[in-house]
Each structure stands twice: as C-alpha cells, then as structure tokens.
Amino acid sequence: MEPPAPIGLERPARREHGDWSSNVALATAKAAGRKPRELADEIVKILEEDRPPHVAAVEVAGPGFVNFRLHDSWLHDVLRQVVQEGEQTYGRHDVGKGTRVNLEFVSTNPTGPVHAGGGRWAAYGASLGNLLERCGYAPHREFYLNDRGVQMQLFADSLAARKAGGPVPAEGYQGQYVADWAAEMPDGVDAFEWGYERVKEDVRESLARMGVEFDTWFSERSMVASGAIEATLEELRQRGVVYEADGAVWLRTTEYGDDKDRVLVKSDGEPTYVLPDIAYHRDKFARGFQRLIDVWGADHHGHAVRLKAGVRALGLDADELEIILGQFVTLMRGGQEVRLSKRAGDVVTLAEVLDEVGPDAARLTFLLQSIDTKQVFDIDLVRSQAMENPVFYVQYAHARISSIGRVAAERGLERRPLEEVDLSLLTHERELDVLRSLAELPDVVLSACVDRAPHKVSTWVRELAGRFHGFYHDCYVMGTDVSADLTQARLWLVEASRIGLAIALDLLGVSAPESM
C-alpha cells in the first residue's frame, strides 16, 4: 500500500491565492475514497463554521487546494513575537537536541596562504556552524592540516632554496610569498618546521579577519606519531577487508559501493592519502562526535565514495558522515578573470581580497549562492557602495534603522511599552511586507540548517532589506503628517526589523553597522 502523501501548509507563490495553502485534501483523498475537490469543499465548510483565529476566509482552489486568507492581525502577532523573543530566541530551534557535530572545512596542505577562492569554504563552513548552533546542535569546527608528504617537503625545499638565493626545485613553489617568507626565516632553522608554523600563522590570521575561527587544528602528522594510522590498518586487517597484491595493501572498497578497490599502502611502504583519511574519521568517531560534516571541493567527488567505503569497512555508520562538495570561485577584476595558482606565482590570496573589499563584503558575497554552484566574485562590484551591491544593500538597511533611532532620540521620542501600542494601525502594504518576511525567518533558519544551505539566509536577508527600504521610502515613521500612535507602531516595526536583520547577519557572520 502506498504511504499517504505528506500534508503541507505553505505560502502560495502568488499573493492573490491567499496567505497560506494546504494540500490536505489532495494528500488524503485517496485513502478516504473521495475526490480531492469534493473533500476540499467539505473541509472548507467545516472550517468556515468555526474559523481559527486570524482567519478571514477559507477557499478551495484548483484541483483541491485549501487556501487561507488571514486578517492583518496575524502579522501584528508576529511583530509581538519577534520583539518578545528578541535576538537570542526568535528563529531558534532544538531539532539538534545537543547532537555533537564535527564540522571540517577549509582544510588544505599547509604550503602557502589561503587563496581567494578558499574564502568561500571559510564563509560557508563558519555560517553552517552558526546555523547548527541556532538549531540545537553542538558543532565543533575543525581544520585538518595535511602536513605530511611530498607537497610539504617541496614547500620546505622551496623556502630553503630562496633563502640560499638559488632557484626553487622544478616542482616547487614559485609564489612571491615564498621569497618574502624566506627573507623572514632565521638562519640555521629547519625550513620544514619553520615554514609549517609560518603557514599556520598566516592562514589563522587571514581566516580570523573574516571572523572564521576553529576549535581544533588537527595535524595528520599527529596520527603518525600516535600510531593511529597503523592501528586503523590493523583493524581493517582484522575485519578481513584488506588484501595484498602487487606488493601493495588494498582495501576491498568494491564491497561498499566503490567502482574498484583502492590502495591503502603503496609497494614502497608509503600510505596513500586514503588510509590517513580513514584513520582521521575513525578518530573523529572515537572522540564522541555523533555526526561528521566535511566540506570539500568538487574535485574530491571520487574520494568521497572511497572514504565512505572505508568508514563502512570499519563497521562505523557511514550515514553519519556527510560530505558536502563545493564548486570553485572565479575571481574577476576589471572585467578580466584573475587566475588562482599557488605554484605559478600569481596567486591572489584571501588576505588581498579582504584588503580590497573588507571582511563583511567578502563573507556575504561568498554566501549569496548555494555552495554547489559555480560562483563569480566580481571585486569591482563588491567594492562599490551602490544599491546593486547586495552587501551594501543589506547593511544599509540596518544603518537606516539606526538612523531612525538617532532621529527619534534627538526629538525626544521613546517607544512606549509594546502592550500600550496599537499595532492594528500597521496596515500599509509596505509595513505588512516587512512583517511577512519576519514571519518567515524561523522556517528559513530551520530549512537552511537542515539543507546545509546558508545561502537561504542570504536570500531572506536581502528580501527583508528590500522590503525595509520600501517601507522607509513610503512610510514616514515620524513627522507632522504621522499621528503619535502610528509613530509608536512604526517604531516597534523598525525594532522588529532590526532584530530580524541582526539575527540573519549574525548567522552569516556579517556585522550590522549603525552608519555607512
């Protein structure tokens, strides 16, 4: 027997269809042995006999949708709820129930500065962590340092060569930063260890400028020192999921959905990157995390399958491991693409982008689109203080709110207690549009968390900013033509707008300026 379709209550795409719409009749008609339209008519008849609060009318639409038209009073209750719950509580959920989440993002080889495109991963991961927290999870933000292997040695050799005044190795790192750091490096130090610490310092500082910080910087070399990699291999052996062939050690990943088995240890005895990654995720589960979220570049698609296979081979729940693949960023300046390449020497670093556009503009721009879509980052547009710039557009809304507060203070106007204010005076469509946006925020926060989609908050805050700008233009808060009672109601609407903007900007990691 087919399971019944889920019953939904949604906002119609077109306002003329009402404030809410339900598919209840369509979802239950088959089980009830009724025609959807007839069942909808009966539901509407029952609801009309005893309308719920705020409901002005209930109507049948199309093949059997039940549409609700509400009095404006429901939006006035939204304003009360926003103000009463405030920044700390409004739009907060407890679906996570304290679940401990390990959130790994921006993890790179420590061989140079974070490039500009890495800012997208930083903004995304940090904002996802904020969403997880607001929805009741306990996220732990982690940076994985792939600090073992050939690339690290090539970087150290490049530093040492620059320090000695000679050419870098053929496969080494050519960037100007290598020469700059080599000039800083004291004589006689170990280029490997000094360079390693210098990279970590630079990466940490660049990310901190964007407001991105980590609870743990996890070193791959620490697993070598602790024997965790060997212990992982031994556990896989005991489970009978590895074998030897052609002098190498293989994992039977085909038994877990991979298209072919994978090498864990090469014939020269050196582990491939597959084994340390499996060991690392084994360690995460051992540390008590109940869910693991990794944010990787799209070029790691194939490795995601191998890692999940390795987790399953250890007897762990691979369904508790989420791998989010993000698309890369094309950086533009002056209408021309700026190529990103650490080795080529023309790398554009995240620090340089932050110098040009500022941390807030960079972070919000990186969050305007879904992480799984390619992004064009136009430095010229992001730098501009124009309404076409989404970052300026949003922050300017908050600055306007602050300016209203300053003018009110200059005129000696104070908000009366909310319970003494007649909110029914808020009837202008611009006012109601602002309240409609505020009503949607809790659902947006939950959806953005569940779907791992911070860009949904960016979309929402841009809409709220646009509606507030419209309200600001068409509805004077103070003035000789505005009654004292209406001024009070609009002052509270402005305060509710401030709370909504503050919540969203905090989730996105963007400041809420009082002036611009």
Side-chain angles (χ1 to χ4, degrees), residues 104 253 258 274 277-279 281 294 296 302-313 318 321 323:
E104 177 202 334
T253 51
D258 202 357
V274 177
D277 272 4
I278 295 172
H281 287 77
D294 295 350
W296 295 351
H303 186 52
V305 177
R306 295 163 216 158
L307 178 59
K308 278 187 169 279
V311 168
R312 290 190 180 95
L321 167 61
I323 298 175

Side-chain angles (χ1 to χ4, degrees), residues 230-441:
E230 290 82 357
T232 300
L233 181 58
E234 180 58 29
E235 182 174 345
L236 291 170
R237 288 186 191 279
Q238 290 176 4
R239 290 179 171 275
V241 292
V242 300
Y243 63 94
E244 296 189 14
D246 302 323
V249 180
W250 298 70
L251 178 64
R252 301 182 192 277
T253 51
T254 49
E255 295 184 10
Y256 303 95
D258 202 357
D259 59 346
K260 62 181 179 180
D261 292 342
R262 303 293 171 175
V263 175
L264 294 179
V265 182
K266 296 181 288 186
S267 57
D268 62 2
E270 183 70 18
T272 66
Y273 59 84
V274 177
L275 180 57
D277 272 4
I278 295 172
Y280 174 43
H281 287 77
R282 174 178 178 263
D283 178 87
K284 289 182 182 182
F285 280 114
R287 281 186 273 154
F289 293 109
Q290 298 156 282
R291 177 163 287 273
L292 314 182
I293 301 176
D294 295 350
V295 185
W296 295 351
D299 56 338
H300 286 71
H301 173 75
H303 186 52
V305 177
R306 295 163 216 158
L307 178 59
K308 278 187 169 279
V311 168
R312 290 190 180 95
L314 285 170
L316 299 169
D317 187 355
D319 290 338
E320 296 302 324
L321 167 61
E322 293 180 50
I323 298 175
I324 298 170
L325 299 175
Q327 293 290 338
F328 294 98
V329 177
T330 298
L331 192 68
M332 303 290 291
R333 184 192 285 117
Q336 300 292 321
E337 179 180 351
V338 182
R339 299 185 63 81
L340 307 177
S341 171
K342 283 183 182 177
R343 290 189 177 185
D346 61 354
V347 60
V348 178
T349 67
L350 175 60
E352 290 174 299
V353 171
L354 297 181
D355 288 341
E356 289 202 50
V357 305
D360 283 340
R363 187 154 169 171
L364 184 52
T365 299
F366 283 127
L367 294 171
L368 291 176
Q369 297 171 228
S370 173
I371 191 71
D372 61 1
T373 62
K374 293 181 180 179
Q375 183 175 45
V376 174
F377 189 112
D378 188 329
I379 290 178
D380 297 330
L381 174 61
V382 177
R383 287 180 61 184
S384 68
Q385 290 199 344
M387 284 301 193
E388 293 77 21
N389 177 351
V391 183
F392 180 81
Y393 191 68
V394 169
Q395 289 189 314
Y396 193 43
H398 193 274
R400 277 182 158 170
I401 288 172
S402 299
S403 73
I404 291 171
R406 288 192 295 270
V407 171
E410 291 168 2
R411 297 184 183 182
L413 280 172
E414 294 185 6
R415 288 194 306 267
R416 295 201 301 267
L418 184 60
E419 60 272 15
E420 298 177 11
V421 175
D422 184 4
L423 297 181
S424 69
L425 297 174
L426 299 175
T427 58
H428 194 287
E429 194 60 24
R430 293 293 199 185
E431 297 166 332
L432 300 179
D433 273 346
V434 170
L435 290 172
R436 288 187 185 97
S437 283
L438 291 171
E440 294 170 6
L441 180 56

Side-chain angles (χ1 to χ4, degrees), residues 440-460:
E440 294 170 6
L441 180 56
D443 288 345
V444 169
V445 170
L446 182 60
S447 175
C449 177
V450 171
D451 295 341
R452 314 302 192 225
H455 73 279
K456 292 186 176 184
V457 178
S458 301
T459 300
W460 178 87

Side-chain angles (χ1 to χ4, degrees), residues 11-41:
R11 296 177 180 87
R14 297 171 62 178
R15 284 288 315 285
E16 60 265 29
H17 292 166
D19 294 286
W20 294 91
S21 181
S22 177
N23 67 339
V24 58
L26 293 165
T28 59
K30 187 173 182 180
R34 304 283 297 279
K35 292 181 179 179
R37 180 88 187 190
E38 290 178 359
L39 183 57
D41 284 333

Side-chain angles (χ1 to χ4, degrees), residues 38-318:
E38 290 178 359
L39 183 57
D41 284 333
E42 188 170 332
I43 292 171
V44 166
K45 182 179 178 181
I46 293 170
L47 288 171
E48 283 286 8
E49 290 174 357
D50 185 17
R51 291 179 190 167
H54 303 303
V55 174
V58 191
E59 304 161 352
V60 178
F65 289 101
V66 177
N67 290 351
F68 297 83
R69 298 185 186 278
L70 306 182
H71 294 294
D72 295 343
S73 56
W74 85 276
L75 291 171
H76 303 147
D77 276 359
V78 167
L79 191 156
R80 293 185 182 92
Q81 182 184 358
V82 172
V83 169
Q84 288 165 1
E85 295 185 5
E87 292 177 44
Q88 294 304 311
T89 303
Y90 189 65
R92 191 173 289 278
H93 303 274
D94 192 33
V95 293
K97 301 187 183 302
T99 300
R100 295 188 64 213
V101 180
N102 184 288
L103 177 59
E104 177 202 334
F105 59 104
V106 205
S107 300
T108 61
N109 291 336
T111 55
V114 179
H115 64 70
R120 188 180 199 189
W121 273 252
Y124 174 84
S127 295
L128 178 56
N130 294 341
L131 282 163
L132 289 166
E133 272 187 330
R134 197 157 190 101
C135 290
Y137 293 88
H140 182 92
R141 299 158 180 87
E142 188 149 308
F143 191 113
Y144 181 63
L145 291 157
N146 188 0
D147 54 6
R148 180 194 64 85
V150 174
Q151 297 306 318
M152 281 290 295
Q153 190 59 56
L154 281 171
F155 172 61
D157 292 345
S158 301
L159 272 178
R162 286 289 194 184
K163 183 68 176 178
V168 302
E171 297 297 318
Y173 289 81
Q174 305 286 342
Q176 180 60 39
Y177 70 91
V178 178
D180 294 341
W181 290 355
E184 296 178 16
M185 187 169 63
D187 294 331
V189 300
D190 181 341
F192 190 104
E193 292 300 329
W194 186 91
Y196 176 48
E197 293 302 324
R198 184 65 180 83
V199 171
K200 286 197 295 183
E201 176 190 354
D202 187 84
V203 170
R204 186 180 280 111
E205 287 178 357
S206 294
L207 295 176
R209 288 179 62 190
M210 270 183 71
V212 178
E213 297 186 350
F214 293 87
D215 301 300
T216 297
W217 293 71
F218 191 97
S219 164
E220 182 178 333
R221 287 194 293 168
S222 71
M223 292 193 297
V224 176
S226 69
I229 294 176
E230 290 82 357
T232 300
L233 181 58
E234 180 58 29
E235 182 174 345
L236 291 170
R237 288 186 191 279
Q238 290 176 4
R239 290 179 171 275
V241 292
V242 300
Y243 63 94
E244 296 189 14
D246 302 323
V249 180
W250 298 70
L251 178 64
R252 301 182 192 277
T253 51
T254 49
E255 295 184 10
Y256 303 95
D258 202 357
D259 59 346
K260 62 181 179 180
D261 292 342
R262 303 293 171 175
V263 175
L264 294 179
V265 182
K266 296 181 288 186
S267 57
D268 62 2
E270 183 70 18
T272 66
Y273 59 84
V274 177
L275 180 57
D277 272 4
I278 295 172
Y280 174 43
H281 287 77
R282 174 178 178 263
D283 178 87
K284 289 182 182 182
F285 280 114
R287 281 186 273 154
F289 293 109
Q290 298 156 282
R291 177 163 287 273
L292 314 182
I293 301 176
D294 295 350
V295 185
W296 295 351
D299 56 338
H300 286 71
H301 173 75
H303 186 52
V305 177
R306 295 163 216 158
L307 178 59
K308 278 187 169 279
V311 168
R312 290 190 180 95
L314 285 170
L316 299 169
D317 187 355

